[in-house]
Amino acid sequence: MLTDRDRIEKQKRSLSLTRLHRALSRLTSTVTMMNTGAHPDDEHNGLLAYLRLGLGMRVIVACSTRGEGGQNALGPERLGALGILRSREMEEAARELDADIHWLGHGPEDPIHDFGFSKNGDRTFDRWGEKRIVERLVRAYRQERPDIVLPTFLDVPGQHGHHRAMTRAAETAIGLAADPAAFPEHFEEGLTPWQVAKFYLPAWSGGGDTYDDEVPPPATTLPLTVASFEPVSGVSYGHIGEWSRYYHASQGMGRWRDIGHNSWPLHLKLSAEGTVAESAILDSLPSRLADLARETDLPQGVVDALMRADGAIGKAIERFPERSAIVNALLQAACEIEKALEQAPEAFRCAHEHRLRRKLVEIDAALCEAEQVFVRAVAEPAELSPGAIGRLTLHLSGNAGAAVVNADARLPDGVSAGLKETSPLQIAYELTSTADAPLTRQYQPGWSSLGGNGNASVDIRAQIGGRSVTVAVDLEEQLVIAPRHSLTLQPNAFIIPVESDGRKLTMKAASTGHVGLSTPPGWTISQADGATTLSAPDVITPGLVTITPLVDGQPAMRISPIAYPHIGHTSFREPELLRVLALDLKLPEGAKIGYVGGGADRVGLWLGRMGLDVTELDAQALSGDLSRFTTIVVGIFAFGIRKDLAAATARLHRFVEEGGHLLTLYHRPVDGWQPDATPPKRIDIGSPSVRWRVTDPTAEVTVLEPDHPLLCGPNRITSADWNGWDKERGLYFAARWDDAYVPLLAMHDPEEQPLKGALISAEIGKGRHTHTSLVLHHQLDKLTSGAFRLLANLVQPA
């Protein structure tokens, strides 16, 4: 449930006059544009801010994945949980732009998901299925009816394979969306063919420090440059774009720029009008109601109604912020649009009815803003289990008490609402969830700037000036149907060296239900003092054992809360599993490890589960006596996240000189990594990073120094240790380094030259510095045997 401070923050960020101005600006255009991308944060935020807030277009971001295969600069969420986090970030970024979202992929279980970096569009299609992603884009075009489609990136070598696949699919889908013979199953759902009028490509390189487009961008056919500012805020559209990007915090987005970016050169690749020269992006498009009135063969009554509606909208905007004048003008506009719809011929309705229907919905929203009809919908609790009872309260403020006629709650399957009380200030319902109510979906198919989002929302009907208006109100926090019992095993994964004597594994099971474990043959289980002990057989075979815990006889689910200031509170649910990895693992003798994490990996946790002596180092510990440690491990991104670590750089260098072993895990150039200052001796991280990574998890690894101490003891690293890796080998490889460093491995993606910067190590003074760009943290989470054996070697004393 939101706190008072949460609600105050939300109110401060969403001021009534700003909402009213933006609600009016929606009415100025009848054009829809769609920006296609592969991940949350791929959108052209500054450009979209101008198209939506400057030109009034409806803007839709069509995104193929939830970004679940990416990285997280904020915390421990990975894979499905990261997909939830990044989906919420995308929603908040869209809210800042007053844009909509059409999701094409639906999480890690869907074939269209973020499986990690890909350098080739064809390889991406191998995973997604080219026909599948094209069909989903055709469906999106037919549902949303965009006039303009603009991919974010180019389909060129040197670009992310997911980006390349999306751009290619977006273009392929243009012709198919208009083809009545393509995907006829869509028509059974009420969809009809749709012709996108313009398909643009960005006429700039998607390079920077990540990508490296190998060919120049296409020629500019439309130089789109904006010198004006957004009227209500007085801020440049480029700056508003950064306000939007700020919400992609898990990806480190949001940059302050003294001068907001205001130029976006475009290349018109396809046009329904054929080859045309343009002076503006709206050329040849019906951008206003007055343009629709110029359609041929329209009855004069329709022409007059559209012209009067256009004039009334103009008057409403002209009279801002005079609320009563705005209401009167909007009531006239709605009346005229409805007249036009009643009298319009069939051909006109086929081409344009969706534009007029959208305008009526937008007018209703603007009327409620102008009339100050405010409704706050709160579900308590926001998380219901099957068979539970809750409450839905509509808090009426402003003029809502007088204007609201009734409300209809859109609820998840298996949940009903019974009216409990009404008053001028609130309407309350009792929510009842059936015993067999299905769990709600975790990944929503879309997000609308006009509301009605999530698993539940409320349609509010109000009477304004004789017009019955309907607006969709989102719940303050989303209503979720979750399992009756959540189970958290602590820990839920164990590492057992096959030659160790430690065969008893003790964990705590936190759940309100009865917990049981179905043990494999040879394993035994006992419970005492709130702890569960699992005993392994005397002889154990190397490999992974997965045990499914039960709660009240059903497979257990873990619900993990996700909470950050920029997205609020949400959660991720997944099957809770107990995993035990038995492997041939020897630990370095005498190792005392200090771990410096930035919250973006769980390496410190895994070192402890391996049986090593590990201490988490906070700011005080970093400024204390480091000589008590043989090894200090710095987690991914940590130099960019922890100022106390950056301040301790000189002390870390001295730790190495005096005999310590410093192990740094991969960093991006933007993570506070200064080649001459951060490592004890110079290491340059490769940029653009597309060139300095190995995305094939099965890529052959060549050991350059097989007898190096880090590769031959305490575990001798062999070819078997590179089997079973997930997603990729490594990224952000070192490109250049001081002669003191010795490269230990070489690897490469198909048809590329070997890279030697995945693992380098140098003897410095009495100690050692080792830097690795291997994705060890991910392999540990996936319980990849070789990663544990290699890490045990890498943390040995110098």
Side-chain angles (χ1 to χ4, degrees):
M1 185 173 177
L2 298 189
T3 65
D4 290 348
R5 294 187 64 85
D6 292 334
R7 292 188 175 117
I8 290 170
E9 287 292 336
K10 288 185 70 172
Q11 187 182 54
K12 286 169 60 180
R13 291 196 302 265
S14 181
L15 300 179
S16 177
L17 277 181
T18 301
R19 294 198 309 269
L20 175 57
H21 189 278
R22 292 186 174 178
L24 293 173
S25 74
R26 293 182 187 132
L27 306 176
T28 61
S29 177
T30 54
V31 170
T32 296
M33 79 83 59
M34 179 179 285
N35 180 201
T36 63
H39 318 96
D41 82 5
D42 278 355
E43 68 275 10
H44 284 307
N45 303 72
L47 173 58
L48 299 187
Y50 171 63
L51 297 179
R52 166 59 198 90
L53 303 175
L55 297 183
M57 293 184 191
R58 180 192 177 199
V59 166
I60 305 166
V61 177
C63 191
S64 61
T65 79
R66 305 308 179 108
E68 62 268 52
Q71 303 169 85
N72 184 0
L74 293 181
E77 292 83 12
R78 293 286 180 275
L79 302 175
L82 179 59
I84 295 289
L85 169 57
R86 295 189 69 182
S87 295
R88 282 288 299 119
E89 289 183 330
M90 182 73 252
E91 290 171 359
E92 293 303 320
R95 189 193 308 278
E96 195 68 60
L97 300 173
D98 198 40
D100 299 341
I101 306 170
H102 188 112
W103 294 108
L104 301 167
H106 308 298
E109 303 305 316
D110 187 53
I112 298 174
H113 68 276
D114 183 355
F115 56 84
F117 200 91
S118 168
K119 295 179 181 177
N120 187 295
D122 290 334
R123 301 292 77 77
T124 300
F125 283 144
D126 288 345
R127 297 286 294 271
W128 288 357
E130 184 171 7
K131 182 179 179 181
R132 181 182 292 111
I133 185 64
V134 168
E135 183 274 330
R136 293 192 188 182
L137 275 163
V138 169
R139 183 186 297 272
Y141 293 168
R142 289 171 172 174
Q143 284 180 345
E144 311 290 3
R145 299 196 153 204
D147 302 287
I148 300 168
V149 171
L150 169 66
T152 295
F153 295 99
L154 298 170
D155 176 20
V156 295
Q159 188 51 248
H160 193 322
H162 295 179
H163 297 163
R164 297 186 64 182
M166 269 300 289
T167 298
R168 196 184 315 168
E171 181 173 350
T172 301
I174 298 286
L176 293 173
D179 183 355
F183 305 110
E185 65 272 20
H186 293 178
F187 310 139
E188 298 173 8
E189 304 167 18
L191 300 179
T192 57
W194 176 250
Q195 178 63 64
V196 174
K198 296 182 181 183
F199 178 77
Y200 289 98
L201 291 175
W204 67 85
S205 172
D209 61 359
T210 302
Y211 309 121
D212 184 20
D213 293 1
E214 293 183 6
V215 298
T220 298
T221 61
L222 179 64
L224 192 59
T225 301
V226 181
S228 59
F229 298 90
E230 200 249 347
V232 70
S233 66
V235 175
S236 74
Y237 297 102
H239 278 126
I240 294 174
E242 288 302 322
W243 293 0
S244 176
R245 294 199 73 70
Y246 155 90
Y247 287 100
H248 295 297
S250 70
Q251 307 307 298
M253 300 295 176
R255 299 281 187 271
W256 173 256
R257 305 180 192 278
D258 288 329
I259 300 176
H261 189 77
N262 66 349
S263 181
W264 303 278
L266 301 178
H267 173 81
L268 183 61
K269 178 74 181 294
L270 299 173
S271 171
E273 300 290 321
T275 304
V276 293
E278 295 183 297
S279 60
I281 195 169
L282 293 173
D283 283 357
S284 75
L285 296 177
S287 60
R288 297 170 49 200
L289 294 175
D291 295 329
L292 296 181
R294 299 185 183 99
E295 291 278 315
T296 57
D297 300 325
L298 274 184
Q300 189 60 43
V302 176
V303 172
D304 293 343
L306 290 172
M307 294 300 293
R308 286 193 295 266
D310 189 83
I313 288 171
K315 184 177 180 179
I317 293 170
E318 179 184 312
R319 298 299 294 272
F320 177 85
E322 300 174 45
R323 294 181 183 272
S324 61
I326 291 170
V327 168
N328 290 334
L330 293 182
L331 290 171
Q332 181 191 358
C335 181
E336 298 295 345
I337 290 173
E338 287 173 339
K339 287 180 185 177
L341 279 168
E342 290 173 5
Q343 302 174 30
E346 181 67 22
F348 179 87
R349 288 202 304 271
C350 287
H352 302 300
E353 182 175 2
H354 67 285
R355 304 182 198 275
L356 301 187
R357 296 288 180 196
R358 173 83 182 183
K359 283 292 155 281
L360 290 174
V361 175
E362 292 171 347
I363 286 173
D364 281 1
L367 279 168
C368 284
E369 288 290 353
E371 194 67 8
Q372 296 183 295
V373 176
F374 304 142
V375 179
R376 184 167 60 89
V378 182
E380 300 175 272
E383 190 174 279
L384 278 180
S385 60
I389 294 175
R391 181 182 177 94
L392 174 63
T393 306
L394 309 182
H395 297 273
L396 312 181
S397 59
N399 293 325
V404 170
V405 175
N406 57 30
D408 282 339
R410 180 181 63 84
L411 299 171
D413 290 343
V415 178
S416 59
L419 185 64
K420 293 292 289 183
E421 62 180 89
T422 62
S423 73
L425 296 179
Q426 70 177 34
I427 305 172
Y429 302 87
E430 182 177 83
L431 300 179
T432 303
S433 173
T434 62
D436 58 352
L439 305 183
T440 47
R441 66 193 307 167
Q442 300 199 84
Y443 298 93
Q444 299 298 320
W447 191 89
S448 171
S449 57
L450 294 174
N453 299 300
N455 299 305
S457 62
V458 182
D459 287 337
I460 301 293
R461 279 190 288 279
Q463 198 72 20
I464 299 177
R467 176 175 173 78
S468 177
V469 305
T470 302
V471 291
V473 174
D474 293 340
L475 271 57
E476 188 175 68
E477 286 188 293
Q478 271 306 309
L479 178 64
V480 174
I481 306 303
R484 183 175 293 106
H485 303 293
S486 172
L487 173 65
T488 300
L489 295 178
Q490 189 58 40
N492 64 353
F494 290 93
I495 310 301
I496 301 181
V498 292
E499 296 182 3
S500 74
D501 296 328
R503 300 293 190 182
K504 293 185 180 297
L505 312 176
T506 301
M507 75 208 82
K508 289 189 177 293
S511 178
T512 55
H514 176 71
V515 179
L517 291 175
S518 178
T519 55
W523 296 70
T524 59
I525 185 172
S526 62
Q527 293 179 316
D529 300 326
T532 300
T533 299
L534 190 67
S535 299
D538 293 335
V539 178
I540 188 168
T541 303
L544 179 64
V545 175
T546 300
I547 300 170
T548 301
L550 304 176
V551 177
D552 291 349
Q554 297 297 316
M557 300 290 289
R558 172 193 282 248
I559 301 177
S560 303
I562 302 172
Y564 293 99
H566 65 302
I567 65 159
H569 300 267
T570 185
S571 63
F572 175 67
R573 69 172 184 265
E574 60 186 328
E576 178 67 303
L577 300 173
L578 175 61
R579 299 177 297 164
V580 181
L581 177 64
L583 73 164
D584 179 12
L585 175 68
K586 298 179 178 63
L587 301 179
E589 293 183 5
K592 292 182 66 67
I593 300 166
Y595 169 71
V596 188
D601 65 53
R602 303 198 303 163
V603 172
L605 179 148
W606 287 117
L607 287 167
R609 290 187 184 176
M610 289 164 64
L612 289 160
D613 182 345
V614 183
T615 301
E616 297 262 357
L617 301 186
D618 57 15
Q620 183 177 358
L622 275 174
S623 62
D625 179 17
L626 299 181
S627 65
R628 60 195 176 106
F629 301 108
T630 64
T631 309
I632 293 177
V633 180
V634 176
I636 65 172
F637 308 155
F639 278 104
I641 294 172
R642 291 186 50 172
K643 293 182 179 179
D644 60 317
L645 174 61
T649 300
R651 304 188 79 254
L652 291 175
H653 292 182
R654 191 159 58 249
F655 167 77
V656 172
E657 293 278 354
E658 293 174 355
H661 186 182
L662 175 65
L663 171 64
T664 50
L665 307 184
Y666 75 71
H667 277 62
R668 301 165 296 191
V670 297
D671 290 323
W673 187 274
Q674 302 177 44
D676 278 324
T678 303
K681 291 187 178 292
R682 185 179 180 93
I683 297 176
D684 290 277
I685 299 171
S687 180
S689 68
V690 67
R691 301 295 182 194
W692 301 95
R693 61 177 73 202
V694 175
T695 63
D696 182 357
T698 67
E700 182 178 354
V701 176
T702 300
V703 176
L704 302 176
E705 300 286 339
D707 294 325
H708 191 279
L710 296 184
L711 297 178
C712 64
N715 304 285
R716 177 164 287 280
I717 302 303
T718 69
S719 58
D721 291 302
W722 304 107
N723 294 337
W725 281 51
D726 182 74
K727 195 169 77 165
E728 58 204 342
R729 290 289 192 204
L731 63 169
Y732 306 111
F733 282 29
R736 293 165 296 279
W737 47 83
D738 185 276
D739 290 342
Y741 291 96
V742 177
L744 305 184
L745 306 172
M747 60 192 74
H748 62 90
D749 276 327
E751 301 177 8
E752 294 185 1
Q753 295 299 310
L755 298 176
K756 299 181 179 181
L759 178 61
I760 60 177
S761 189
E763 295 181 16
I764 298 172
K766 297 178 181 178
R768 177 180 295 280
H769 173 227
T770 301
H771 181 73
T772 182
S773 300
L774 297 168
V775 287
L776 290 176
H777 73 291
H778 178 76
Q779 306 309 324
L780 300 179
D781 287 345
K782 301 298 285 188
L783 295 186
T784 305
S785 297
F788 288 96
R789 288 168 43 82
L790 178 59
L791 183 60
N793 288 12
L794 297 184
V795 297
Q796 64 182 282

